[in-house]
Amino acid sequence: MPERTPLLHYRLSASVNEQSGEHQRCVPGNAVQGTPASSTRKSAPSSQPKKLSTFFGVVIPTLLSMFSVVVFLRIGFVVGQCGLIQAIIMFLVAYFIISMTVLSVCAISTNGALDAGGAYYMISRALGPEFGGSLGVMFFLANVCSSALFVLGLVEAIMASFGKPEDGGQAASSLQVLPAGYWWSLLYGTGILLICLLVCLVGAEIYAKATFIIFLIVMVVLATVFISFFAVHPHTITLPAPSQPVSNDTGPAPPTTANFTGFKLDTLQSNLWADYAVDYTTGTMMSFATVFAVMFNGCTGIMAGSNMSGDLKNPSYSIPRGTITAVIFTFITYNLLSLLLACSCDRILLQRDYSFLRDINVWHPFVTIGVYSSTLSAAMSNLIGASRILYALARDDLFGMVLCLAKKTSRNGNPWVSVLISWFLVQLVLFSGKLNTIASIVTIFFLLVYAAVDLACLALEWASAPNFRPTFRLFTWYTCVFGIVGCAVMMFLINSIYASAAIAFMLLLLLLIHYLSPTSSWGYISQALIFHQVRKYLLMLDVRKDHVKFWRPQVLLMVSNPRSCVGLITFINDVKKSGLYVLGHVQLGDLDTLPSDPLQARYDSWLSLVDHLNIKAFVNLTLADSVRHGIQHLLFISGLGGMRPNTLVLGFYDDCPPEDKLTDPTFVTLEPADPTVAPTVDPTHDPEDVCPTYHFYPLRDVGGRVEGGKVLGPQEYVAVIADAVKMSKNVALARYFHQFDRASTLSSSGKGSLYVDVWPVNLMRPDSSSYVDTCSFFLLQLACVLNMVRDWRHARLRLFLCVEEGRSMRGTEEKLRGLLKQLRIKANVLTVPWDQQVALHWQRQGGADKSKPPGQSLKEEEFEEDEGDDDFVNSFPSNATRMSDEYLSAVNRLILDQACPPPAVRFLYLPRPPADTRRYTSYLSQLDLLTKGLGPTLLIHGVTPVITTDL
């Protein structure tokens, strides 16, 4: 039987490969990736009819995809190698894996309207365009290669029966009349592909009719196979010659015949257990893993029905019922056929002749017709499937103009351009001649898509979104997990190298689409999952378990006008140390007098600012009758659970003219919330260099006014500071940060030339020089946090120790160095004599305090006592009235004299506001004198312990 050998050789050597493709490739035409329509784009032409019923649109394509040629040429191989018991176990395991995916498909398909696109549509709409697009491309390529694979398989099967011997020898049959050779095979394949092309160009209806005819043929052939077990008498069958040597020269010669015994108990007993042998077509020793991989390919193809979603009358109704029906039918058929084979065929027949069903059939050509029909159906379904995937990708605009032509359709909605492109690519693949290697990758591609569908269903289930309520409820999150794990195991079982390459290819496509494709409006499951997890972990974040060891700054930065606060916003982003960072803004107004909330329209502009500056911050806006009340609102309500601001940062109240830092043409904002407000443009800038859209808010004038109205007075400003301290919030006042440019500061300062100066003493209390109170520690901690940021790691901390004459300078410095060592803070300690400045203070007092004459230093005991006297140190009793301007100016000059080289930023001690509200203005003027001309400076007041020496 010479004609059998080539066919058999093709069958098994292409086994893992072909099959992988067939089943999945068979994704019926329209079916495939139909046309995932984005929610914003127009849906497929409304004139396109959707007529296919459950049987014609789902059951038939799925059955043909799962059966294909496996049922005729590979079932005996499985039983012959692993025995009946292991074969049934293999089918149970394989169908368990695919059943998990079927449940996911059914769940997604019944969760609302399902557009054309099948698996691609499900994945892209659930997991987003990145996953959907990358897997859609892989699904498209898998279908293209699968179509070519089946065309070549059909050519090889035809040549096995009707082709002349390639070596020019005598033909074994009068039917062998077709010329053989590479170019002849390519010609035959091109002709078969043209037939498939014509069917696909006509549309889904003619395809459904063609597959129905093929389905009838396959079912008739399958019926004759079952009948033959009972109708055909036992006889001997001549085995084909092995393509590869199956034994050594020293062993017995391989048998040349085997028996079809009919139903016998002895035959069943001999076929119960495994007996792995060498594959006679490849010379490879079989094992459980290799046989299982081959068999599993015959169980795939479950997406064929869902791929027809665009042509079904009622996809949500048809897909679950049709797919489950097909899966159950094929499972029963495979197991029943395995039982009949084990009862009636010698094991040697099962192991050495993969096309033996033809020899035991009541009419031998029946099986050959079944092979031809199923292979042609697979080739056709993969071609039309590939075209639908391509059309869906084109309609979703994931690749821009690259696929614009693929959007064109005929009057009845058939994407004829996508069909032609797919046909052209299949034709190119035909030139390779053999696709055994590609077929393994094709199978892995399909399994990857199945795993993605399970992942999509799992994500929807875990997200607990209220709108995910499928009518099909026979699934849970662990069925999705089983499906994902099962598909992943099978991928690596078939070929670990190809599986790894497929995953890498998917990730590459995912990254490309992520960075190149436009934002979709489908909704991102990642956002739902993040919300679900964040809510769960916020509930677990118990504020009662806070500990100083794990303290981190959580900052609320009040921004009056983001256009002039870019330097401060970027600097605070460095200080937050992975903590909460909130940009707060107060808009004055009364909701009772407004038609709607004016803040909603501004959120997008603020979020655009966050994106533009590349900072990790939240935005919180509020409407209030005064700035003070607005900040109180934000301090009370900002954050959630254990993530609440513990530090308030304010810009300094001064008369420095603001500078517009958002004239960068790359920054895009939205239109103004109030259409009556015209965009303001700085006349000193070239219009081409200014962002053409609205710049958030108009800049205030030097007096702190906007459009002539004062928004905040000095009294209210200091009251805000006092409010924050009462709420146990740390406070920082930022001055001259309009001069701070992060990029230039960090780039212009070479290694070792970037300094951060820290003055941890209350310079407005010269009668108390404690360095170990809560506020001083807070200054040290923030400076250390800044120094831990990657871009600031090369900065040097300079800690200035103010001492008076007569005091043990060396002793005080050593104590401070020891403290820094305990706190693991690396800083240079510099001693600064300030006798002249202190003398100015006491001269102002007129000798009122006789207990401490001018120039007298604190005793060491006093230094120790101040460590625990936080309330006294922080209280600032009547300093605002007694501190002279001469003293403050002298301290200001003292700070400036130490700026060699000048620091990038200074950290100064901020005393708390006076209890007497009448002194607020004087308090603010003293801070102004103290910090005048210092450059970027943070005045910091800490109220919570932030440092510990404990492990």
Side-chain angles (χ1 to χ4, degrees):
M1 301 181 64
E3 79 258 40
R4 180 187 311 153
T5 305
L7 174 60
L8 303 183
H9 175 58
Y10 161 75
R11 268 352 270 143
L12 185 68
S13 51
S15 63
V16 181
N17 311 301
E18 296 173 35
Q19 312 233 189
S20 43
E22 28 178 88
H23 325 297
Q24 305 143 345
R25 317 143 188 167
C26 295
V27 254
N30 238 193
V32 168
Q33 286 358 170
T35 93
S38 71
S39 35
T40 57
R41 71 163 187 233
K42 293 181 181 179
S43 58
S46 57
S47 59
Q48 180 179 0
K50 296 186 177 181
K51 302 180 179 179
L52 300 183
S53 64
T54 302
F55 183 72
F56 285 96
V58 181
V59 175
I60 290 178
T62 306
L63 281 176
L64 289 178
S65 297
M66 298 187 70
F67 276 150
S68 192
V69 295
V70 177
V71 71
F72 302 114
L73 296 175
R74 210 160 305 168
I75 191 69
F77 160 78
V78 174
V79 177
Q81 294 287 346
C82 61
L84 177 63
I85 294 178
Q86 284 194 16
I88 293 176
I89 293 174
M90 285 183 178
F91 280 117
L92 288 173
V93 173
Y95 270 82
F96 174 79
I97 293 173
I98 65 170
S99 295
M100 299 300 101
T101 302
V102 168
L103 296 179
S104 298
V105 170
C106 295
I108 297 176
S109 63
T110 58
N111 186 50
L114 183 65
D115 201 350
Y120 165 69
Y121 187 86
M122 297 179 191
I123 296 170
S124 61
R125 273 32 179 202
L127 299 183
E130 293 89 351
F131 269 103
S134 58
L135 289 165
V137 170
M138 296 176 68
F139 211 5
F140 168 72
L141 295 177
N143 277 272
V144 166
C145 294
S146 296
S147 182
L149 177 69
F150 281 102
V151 169
L152 290 175
L154 181 55
V155 169
E156 190 166 344
I158 292 174
M159 294 303 295
S161 299
F162 303 104
K164 294 180 180 178
E166 291 191 42
D167 56 6
Q170 183 65 33
S173 170
S174 60
L175 297 177
Q176 293 180 307
V177 295
L178 297 179
Y182 170 78
W183 292 107
W184 284 106
S185 296
L186 180 61
L187 178 62
Y188 304 147
T190 302
I192 295 171
L193 185 58
L194 282 174
I195 297 174
C196 297
L197 174 64
L198 292 176
V199 173
C200 295
L201 284 176
V202 173
E205 284 190 70
I206 188 65
Y207 166 76
K209 294 177 181 178
T211 53
F212 177 64
I213 295 174
I214 294 174
F215 171 75
L216 292 179
I217 294 174
V218 171
M219 289 298 102
V220 169
V221 174
L222 191 59
T224 63
V225 169
F226 280 102
I227 293 173
S228 298
F229 285 107
F230 300 92
V232 176
H233 298 290
H235 61 279
T236 300
I237 299 173
T238 302
L239 300 177
S243 302
Q244 299 291 335
V246 295
S247 61
N248 298 326
D249 295 337
T250 57
T256 58
T257 62
N259 296 319
F260 171 68
T261 64
F263 294 106
K264 287 188 176 181
L265 183 59
D266 292 341
T267 305
L268 174 61
Q269 291 176 341
S270 64
N271 288 327
L272 282 178
W273 307 106
D275 184 14
Y276 296 103
V278 174
D279 173 19
Y280 77 95
T281 62
T282 62
T284 303
M285 185 65 187
M286 294 291 100
S287 64
F288 182 89
T290 55
V291 175
F292 186 66
V294 171
M295 183 275 302
F296 185 78
N297 292 320
C299 302
T300 55
I302 54 176
M303 290 295 181
S306 60
N307 287 332
M308 294 298 291
S309 57
D311 298 289
L312 298 173
K313 290 180 181 178
N314 188 348
S316 297
Y317 175 87
S318 299
I319 289 176
R321 289 163 177 79
T323 304
I324 293 175
T325 299
V327 168
I328 294 175
F329 183 81
T330 55
F331 176 74
I332 294 174
T333 301
Y334 278 135
N335 282 277
L336 185 58
L337 192 56
S338 299
L339 177 61
L340 295 176
L341 290 176
C343 292
S344 59
C345 298
D346 282 346
R347 184 181 290 270
I348 194 65
L349 176 63
L350 300 176
Q351 291 180 341
R352 292 291 312 282
D353 189 352
Y354 298 148
S355 61
F356 69 95
L357 287 178
R358 178 174 53 184
D359 297 311
I360 65 173
N361 199 272
V362 291
W363 187 49
H364 293 184
F366 261 141
V367 174
T368 302
I369 293 172
V371 171
Y372 292 174
S373 300
S374 59
T375 307
L376 180 63
S377 170
M380 194 185 308
S381 67
N382 281 278
L383 176 60
I384 196 172
S387 68
R388 296 314 192 270
I389 302 171
L390 183 62
Y391 176 56
L393 290 168
R395 290 214 310 172
D396 281 341
D397 288 324
L398 295 182
F399 299 92
M401 298 299 294
V402 177
L403 299 178
C404 62
L405 291 177
K407 298 179 184 179
K408 295 183 179 296
T409 61
S410 61
R411 290 183 179 178
N412 64 351
N414 186 37
W416 61 273
V417 176
S418 296
V419 173
L420 289 177
I421 295 174
S422 303
W423 164 81
F424 177 73
L425 293 177
V426 173
Q427 183 64 57
L428 289 181
V429 179
L430 287 180
F431 280 95
S432 65
K434 299 289 184 180
L435 289 182
N436 291 348
T437 301
I438 296 178
S440 292
I441 291 188
V442 170
T443 302
I444 290 170
F445 277 8
F446 280 111
L447 287 173
L448 199 56
V449 172
Y450 294 172
V453 173
D454 286 315
L455 180 62
C457 187
L458 177 65
L460 291 170
E461 177 71 7
W462 274 355
S464 300
N467 283 323
F468 181 63
R469 43 180 184 270
T471 56
F472 181 87
R473 296 303 305 170
L474 299 179
F475 78 99
T476 59
W477 66 266
Y478 50 83
T479 61
C480 302
V481 171
F482 285 145
I484 295 171
V485 173
C487 291
V489 169
M490 281 310 307
M491 285 168 54
F492 285 91
L493 188 62
I494 291 173
N495 193 308
S496 58
I497 296 177
Y498 291 161
S500 302
I503 294 174
F505 181 55
M506 180 199 71
L507 294 177
L508 177 62
L509 288 173
L510 189 148
L511 292 175
L512 289 175
I513 296 174
H514 176 74
Y515 288 108
L516 300 180
S517 68
T519 302
S520 74
S521 58
W522 305 337
Y524 291 81
I525 190 65
S526 58
Q527 295 300 304
L529 289 172
I530 291 171
F531 176 88
H532 184 268
Q533 293 302 108
V534 167
R535 182 194 63 85
K536 180 174 70 174
Y537 287 118
L538 275 176
L539 291 173
M540 297 170 61
L541 190 60
D542 191 344
V543 293
R544 296 169 296 182
K545 298 179 181 178
D546 283 347
H547 194 280
V548 65
K549 288 190 297 184
F550 308 111
W551 180 92
R552 66 182 72 235
Q554 304 198 82
V555 182
L556 170 63
L557 171 63
M558 296 306 304
V559 180
S560 173
N561 194 320
R563 296 173 59 195
S564 58
C565 298
V566 172
L568 179 58
I569 292 172
T570 55
F571 178 77
I572 298 300
N573 186 63
D574 287 336
V575 177
K576 72 180 187 304
K577 184 56 179 173
S578 302
L580 178 67
Y581 184 18
V582 180
L583 299 181
H585 174 75
V586 178
Q587 181 166 331
L588 299 181
D590 185 356
L591 197 58
D592 290 339
T593 63
L594 297 173
S596 63
D597 182 5
L599 301 178
Q600 295 301 319
R602 296 188 181 270
Y603 268 105
D604 285 342
S605 294
W606 282 88
L607 294 176
S608 297
L609 172 74
V610 170
D611 294 337
H612 173 68
L613 299 179
N614 194 26
I615 60 175
K616 298 177 180 178
F618 298 95
V619 174
N620 211 342
L621 312 180
T622 189
L623 187 70
D625 57 355
S626 69
V627 174
R628 180 183 180 185
H629 289 163
I631 296 177
Q632 288 177 354
H633 296 167
L634 293 178
L635 286 173
F636 279 126
I637 68 174
S638 290
L640 202 61
M643 293 188 66
R644 293 185 179 276
N646 55 31
T647 303
L648 173 67
V649 180
L650 302 171
F652 196 79
Y653 191 93
D654 56 19
D655 293 332
C656 292
E659 299 178 13
D660 191 352
K661 300 295 185 178
L662 291 182
T663 54
D664 185 345
T666 62
F667 180 66
V668 178
T669 63
L670 302 181
E671 294 301 321
D674 184 358
T676 64
V677 180
T680 58
V681 178
D682 190 337
T684 63
H685 287 85
D686 186 342
E688 296 296 328
D689 296 332
V690 181
C691 181
T693 53
Y694 184 63
H695 286 295
F696 279 96
Y697 305 96
L699 288 173
R700 63 179 173 84
D701 60 22
V702 175
R705 306 167 185 266
V706 176
E707 299 178 352
K710 207 172 187 64
V711 296
L712 183 66
Q715 189 80 7
E716 185 180 6
Y717 178 81
V718 179
V720 169
I721 302 173
D723 291 341
V725 174
K726 291 176 183 177
M727 297 180 189
S728 298
K729 306 292 184 184
N730 309 297
V731 181
L733 307 183
R735 190 173 192 186
Y736 295 121
F737 272 88
H738 63 278
Q739 303 174 5
F740 178 80
D741 185 280
R742 185 179 187 275
S744 61
T745 299
L746 297 177
S747 60
S748 61
S749 302
K751 187 174 182 179
S753 61
L754 183 64
Y755 293 93
V756 176
D757 287 359
V758 182
W759 295 76
V761 67
N762 186 356
L763 298 174
M764 295 176 67
R765 282 295 303 269
D767 56 338
S768 175
S769 56
S770 173
Y771 291 87
V772 289
D773 61 30
T774 300
C775 189
S776 298
F777 282 156
F778 191 81
L779 261 74
L780 292 174
Q781 182 76 319
L782 281 192
C784 183
V785 165
L786 180 64
N787 198 212
M788 295 169 69
V789 177
R790 182 178 61 183
D791 293 334
W792 290 84
R793 284 178 183 170
H794 62 284
R796 295 184 179 181
L797 298 185
R798 296 189 300 195
L799 185 61
F800 292 93
L801 177 64
C802 295
V803 294
E804 300 176 57
E805 183 181 355
R807 183 174 180 178
S808 176
M809 298 175 58
R810 182 176 181 82
T812 306
E813 182 178 348
E814 289 301 322
K815 288 175 73 73
L816 187 57
R817 290 185 186 277
L819 178 62
L820 293 176
K821 185 176 181 180
Q822 280 186 308
L823 300 176
R824 293 90 61 202
I825 297 177
K826 185 178 181 181
N828 296 328
V829 179
L830 304 176
T831 55
V832 180
W834 70 329
D835 297 84
Q836 297 179 1
Q837 290 76 18
V838 174
L840 287 174
H841 168 68
W842 290 113
Q843 290 173 8
R844 169 72 177 178
Q845 305 305 317
D849 188 354
K850 301 300 183 182
S851 62
K852 179 156 187 326
Q856 181 177 338
S857 63
L858 290 175
K859 297 183 175 62
E860 292 297 324
E861 294 78 15
E862 292 174 329
F863 181 76
E864 296 293 341
E865 290 172 0
D866 282 341
E867 293 185 17
D869 198 9
D870 291 347
D871 292 338
F872 173 74
V873 172
N874 292 329
S875 62
F876 188 56
S878 69
N879 270 2
T881 58
R882 297 167 55 191
M883 199 70 61
S884 67
D885 291 350
E886 293 82 0
Y887 166 74
L888 293 172
S889 298
V891 173
N892 177 263
R893 289 192 300 271
L894 175 68
I895 297 174
L896 287 173
D897 291 341
Q898 310 304 317
C900 185
V905 65
R906 289 182 174 89
F907 289 69
L908 268 61
Y909 191 115
L910 173 68
R912 68 187 303 165
D916 188 351
T917 59
R918 293 172 298 177
R919 299 173 183 170
Y920 279 0
T921 303
S922 177
Y923 169 79
L924 187 58
S925 63
Q926 291 178 355
L927 295 178
D928 178 70
L929 281 175
L930 179 65
T931 58
K932 191 170 185 177
L934 294 185
T937 302
L938 274 184
L939 285 160
I940 301 171
H941 182 80
V943 297
T944 56
V946 295
I947 283 182
T948 179
T949 58
D950 296 336
L951 182 62

